[in-house]
């Protein structure tokens, strides 16, 4: 989704800083980019449809400025055009605004501003902001006062960056429900939608909360104000623990491939210091401060979106089987509008890679006053969800850049397994075997990655199909849903995930020689039932690509093709199945020549509803 960057400093490097920041935010997904900077007391702008590189090329080498804001736009209101690209202005171009989020009352504001003579040049919701500040500036004592008054009128979600010709030495930024971080360095300040854009300059960051704005100056001083309560905010900068070398693509052709190949490391990192196989113990430091509350929960509701939701479904099976606690998994976008009974003994667990997904944040906000425990399984340290929850467990997967989530799923499921073990208090008979298996998984993951060449061959064989069915039972069912999502988002192949037992209730009607099935048939108590489903598909001339456990000869007779994974427990099978399915989807997308890391229409971090 859109990304914003704003820089102010005593040296003339604001344009490069903003362009580099925008480059760091490219992974979020965007379709156009723009920049505004101050040349004396004049605001200069450049906007381009396409990549940040186009902006760089257009600006050339002569790039000096001390104050600048920039934007990568992922179209929501209005088409992908230069006029809709940010920054947006007031009529005399003395105020420039960049925005991530959605101004929900933009129609109402636009009508009222139009009635007062304001002329709009774009189709965006954002343009109301620049005109609104302009309107209030006519009667306010200072620019800041006008900015605050405008903020008071905006509904929806925003991270805003604002500059004005009136105060060339000042950068303003504000936040409501969209991520915003301030990086603080020597004689400079940089604001951005996520820390990756500030890392080049500083590791000292301040995370903004809702209803807060920043006024930053050229010498690096800044003030934060809570504009809802009109109070100054004093918050110390935190030092980011971030290894920039992990953020690059290295020798891999795509981020997605690199992130799939990080699976062994991801598995290790998610359990590091948290499991002790010799003594059969687990330690989840992030849950220690809520130990007593956890004892009293009698139900867990998991909320998440997309891949994180499917990880949550695996978590449901795990927590119910291992800890005996009833679990319900809900799509965050549905949960937030549902009227359901919710008692204080129910805990809410939000799962999110980015920690910035608008729907998941809204789900957490919904229960704010219920008095229930709010937990998080989050990858991005310091993100909004990580900060909103009472307690939680970080995934420690490192930055995930490809839009298609891969290693984050592996880390989420691993962490959910740890949470299930933790909640079982050692009472489950699966406790010891699971600990031992978690320890053994990184090596097993490596053997799947070593099959890349045969996966590539299979991808070539199946890439031309327009439809795909993914089937699984038990722990294989959420895997089937996730496998279908991965294939459709990277390869634009229509793919459906189904519980294998549901086939006869409708989907079987779709099966013919042009509608292949990816069947998850790893060792499990339900394997024979899955065989029957495969037989039913074959009887209708459907092709079957199965994923099975090494040594299974029956499947070789039943399926057209088989991908083998090492023997593992039923409960840990999703971790290995997922790696194989991710590789398959990756190679199908490559075969089809698609932009694997940035699939069309999608953004990495979905920060608006
Ligand atoms: O950052 P989150 O985990 O909250 O994101 C949730 C979904 O947007 C995300 O998993 C999405 O479905 C991915 N593109 C899937 O690969």
């Amino acid at each position: 989704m859109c990304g914003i960057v704003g820089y102010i400093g005593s040296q003339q490097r604001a344009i490069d800083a903003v362009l580099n920041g925008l480059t760091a935010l490219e992974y979020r997904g965007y379709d156009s980019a723009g920049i505004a900077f101050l040349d004396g007391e004049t605001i200069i702008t450049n906007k381009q449809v396409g990549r940040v590189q186009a902006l760089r090329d257009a600006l050339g080498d002569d790039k000096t400025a001390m104050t600048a804001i920039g934007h990568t736009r992922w179209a929501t209101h209005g088409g992908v055009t230069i006029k809709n690209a940010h920054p947006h202005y007031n009529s005399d171009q003395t105020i420039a605004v960049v925005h991530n989020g959605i101004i929900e009352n933009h129609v109402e504001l636009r009508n009222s501003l139009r009635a007062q003579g304001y002329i709009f040049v774009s189709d965006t919701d954002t343009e109301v902001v620049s005109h609104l500040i302009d309107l209030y500036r006519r009667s306010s004592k200072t620019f800041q006062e006008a900015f605050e008054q405008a903020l008071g009128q905006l509904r929806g979600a925003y991270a805003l960056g604002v500059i004005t010709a009136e105060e060339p030495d000042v950068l303003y930024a504000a936040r409501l429900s969209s991520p915003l971080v301030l990086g603080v360095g020597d004689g400079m300040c940089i604001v951005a939608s996520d820390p990756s854009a500030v890392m080049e300059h500083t590791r000292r960051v301040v995370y903004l909360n809702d209803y807060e704005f920043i006024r930053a100056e050229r010498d690096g001083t800044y003030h934060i104000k809570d504009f809802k309560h009109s109070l100054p905010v004093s918050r110390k900068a935190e030092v980011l623990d971030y290894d920039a070398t992990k953020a690059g693509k290295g020798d891999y052709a795509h981020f997605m491939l690199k992130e799939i190949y990080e699976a062994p490391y991801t598995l290790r990192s998610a359990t590091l210091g948290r499991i002790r196989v010799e003594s059969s113990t687990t330690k989840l430091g992030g849950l220690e401060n809520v130990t007593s509350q956890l004892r009293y929960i009698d139900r867990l509701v998991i909320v998440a979106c997309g891949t994180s939701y499917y990880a949550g479904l695996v978590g449901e099976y795990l927590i119910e089987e291992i800890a005996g606690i009833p679990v319900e998994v809900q799509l965050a976008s549905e949960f937030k509008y549902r009227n359901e009974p919710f008692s204080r003994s129910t805990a809410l667990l939000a799962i999110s890679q980015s920690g910035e997904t608008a729907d998941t944040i809204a789900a957490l906000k919904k229960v704010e006053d219920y008095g229930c425990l709010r937990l998080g399984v989050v990858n991005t340290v310091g993100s909004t969800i990580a900060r909103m929850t009472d307690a939680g467990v970080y995934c420690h997967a490192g930055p995930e850049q490809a839009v298609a989530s891969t290693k984050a799923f592996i880390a989420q499921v691993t962490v959910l397994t740890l949470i299930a073990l933790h909640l079982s208090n050692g009472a489950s008979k699966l406790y010891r075997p699971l600990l031992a298996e978690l320890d053994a998984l990184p090596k097993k993951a490596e053997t799947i990655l070593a099959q890349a060449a045969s996966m590539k061959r299979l991808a070539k064989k199946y890439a031309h199909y327009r439809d795909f069915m993914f089937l699984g039972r038990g722990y294989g069912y959420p895997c089937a849903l996730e496998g279908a999502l991965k294939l459709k988002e990277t390869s634009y192949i229509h793919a459906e995930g189904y519980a294998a037992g549901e086939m006869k209730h409708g989907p079987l009607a779709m099966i013919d020689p042009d509608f292949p099935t990816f069947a998850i048939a790893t060792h499990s108590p339900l394997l024979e039932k899955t065989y029957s489903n495969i037989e039913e598909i074959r009887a209708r001339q459907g092709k079957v690509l199965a994923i099975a456990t090494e040594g299974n000869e029956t499947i070789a007779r039943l399926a057209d093709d088989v991908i083998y994974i090492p023997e593992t427990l039923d409960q840990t099978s999703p971790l290995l199945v997922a790696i194989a399915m991710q590789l398959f989807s990756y190679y199908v997308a490559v075969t089809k020549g698609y932009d694997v890391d940035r699939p069309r229409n999608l953004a990495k971090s979905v920060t608006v509803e």
Side-chain angles (χ1 to χ4, degrees), residues 326-396:
V327 180
E328 194 185 326
V329 191
Q330 295 198 32
L331 290 165
S333 53
E334 286 298 313
F335 175 80
K336 67 180 180 184
Y337 295 119
R338 259 177 83 165
N339 295 318
E340 61 171 310
F342 207 93
S343 75
R344 290 184 64 169
S345 54
T346 298
L348 189 81
L349 170 66
I351 306 177
S352 176
Q353 187 287 126
S354 61
E356 301 295 352
T357 300
D359 288 326
T360 313
I361 292 172
L364 282 164
K365 278 191 182 154
K366 174 181 163 176
V367 301
E368 217 157 32
D369 302 326
Y370 291 9
C372 68
L373 188 61
R374 299 190 303 171
L375 304 169
V377 169
V378 176
N379 190 36
T380 309
V381 177
S383 57
T384 304
I385 295 176
R387 288 179 295 121
M388 274 177 91
T389 41
D390 304 309
V393 186
Y394 275 121
C395 291
H396 292 323

Side-chain angles (χ1 to χ4, degrees), residues 45-296:
T45 315
N46 203 306
K47 308 185 198 189
Q48 302 290 329
V49 166
R51 299 285 175 221
V52 173
Q53 187 57 45
L55 202 57
R56 240 181 240 282
D57 295 344
L59 288 163
D61 290 334
D62 187 18
K63 296 189 291 239
T64 53
M66 296 186 193
T67 312
I69 51 175
H71 189 262
T72 46
R73 174 171 189 255
W74 188 84
T76 55
H77 293 66
V80 182
T81 59
I82 290 204
K83 79 169 181 178
N84 287 335
H86 300 210
H88 291 287
Y89 296 102
N90 60 334
S91 304
D92 62 7
Q93 307 211 345
T94 53
I95 301 167
V97 174
V98 287
H99 167 219
N100 168 30
I102 290 181
I103 306 298
E104 286 173 357
N105 56 337
H106 74 103
V107 176
E108 181 188 321
L109 291 170
R110 181 182 276 252
N111 290 342
S112 144
L113 286 160
R114 269 204 184 119
Q116 295 176 75
Y118 283 91
I119 295 165
F120 283 76
V121 294
S122 78
D123 308 316
T124 65
D125 53 329
T126 304
E127 200 185 340
V128 298
V129 183
S130 44
H131 292 310
L132 199 60
I133 301 173
D134 181 287
L135 174 72
Y136 285 117
R137 186 65 193 104
R138 291 178 184 178
S139 55
S140 66
K141 284 203 200 79
T142 61
F143 182 86
Q144 179 173 319
E145 195 181 305
F147 180 50
E148 284 189 64
Q149 284 173 325
L151 293 177
Q153 295 303 308
L154 304 177
R155 285 207 310 272
Y158 53 80
L160 292 169
V162 177
I163 56 173
T164 170
E166 186 186 330
E167 290 183 275
D169 297 346
V170 181
L171 168 71
Y172 290 94
R175 170 195 163 132
L176 176 63
S177 296
S178 289
L180 186 65
V181 63
L182 164 72
V184 189
D186 279 345
M188 57 74 62
C189 281
I190 179 165
V191 291
S193 296
D194 81 45
S196 62
V198 313
M199 294 310 303
E200 187 193 344
H201 307 276
T202 179
R203 289 189 178 210
R204 292 176 57 229
V205 297
V206 179
Y207 292 99
L208 271 277
N209 290 331
D210 283 349
Y211 299 105
E212 288 180 353
F213 79 81
I214 308 163
R215 184 181 197 277
E217 297 186 27
R218 205 165 264 180
D219 61 1
T221 54
Y222 64 91
H223 296 95
I224 303 177
K225 186 170 173 186
D226 171 340
F227 58 85
K228 193 173 182 188
H229 302 102
S230 201
L231 288 171
V233 173
S234 150
R235 186 169 308 130
K236 274 205 181 128
E238 314 175 15
V239 180
L240 276 176
D241 175 19
Y242 184 91
D243 180 355
T245 56
K246 288 197 194 126
K249 203 158 55 180
D251 293 334
Y252 291 93
H254 298 100
F255 276 110
M256 182 177 174
L257 188 63
K258 174 188 178 236
E259 288 158 8
I260 295 171
Y261 269 82
E262 281 173 8
Y265 157 82
T266 304
L267 286 160
R268 238 176 255 121
S269 168
T271 55
L272 195 70
R274 293 170 172 170
I275 62 171
R276 245 189 228 119
V277 182
E278 323 77 58
S279 56
S280 272
T281 48
T282 52
K283 181 176 163 56
L284 293 181
L287 297 184
E288 268 169 11
N289 66 333
V290 292
T291 306
S292 56
Q293 284 143 286
L294 283 175
R295 250 179 243 133
Y296 297 106

Side-chain angles (χ1 to χ4, degrees), residues 471-474 476 499-501 518-522 524-537 544 546-547 555 558:
L471 291 186
R473 282 175 182 267
F518 196 121
I520 297 156
T522 49
S524 92
L526 304 173
L527 182 55
E528 299 214 329
K529 293 185 190 298
T530 305
Y531 287 159
S532 305
N533 297 120
I534 296 175
E535 298 270 19
E536 286 153 13
I537 291 163
V544 176
I547 183 159
I555 199 78
L558 287 176

Side-chain angles (χ1 to χ4, degrees), residues 305-308 351-355 357 403-405 412 485-486 489 606:
C305 305
T307 289
S308 299
I351 306 177
S352 176
Q353 187 287 126
S354 61
T357 300
V403 164
S405 188
Q412 289 163 343
L485 174 63
K486 216 81 308 161
E489 71 178 330
V606 184

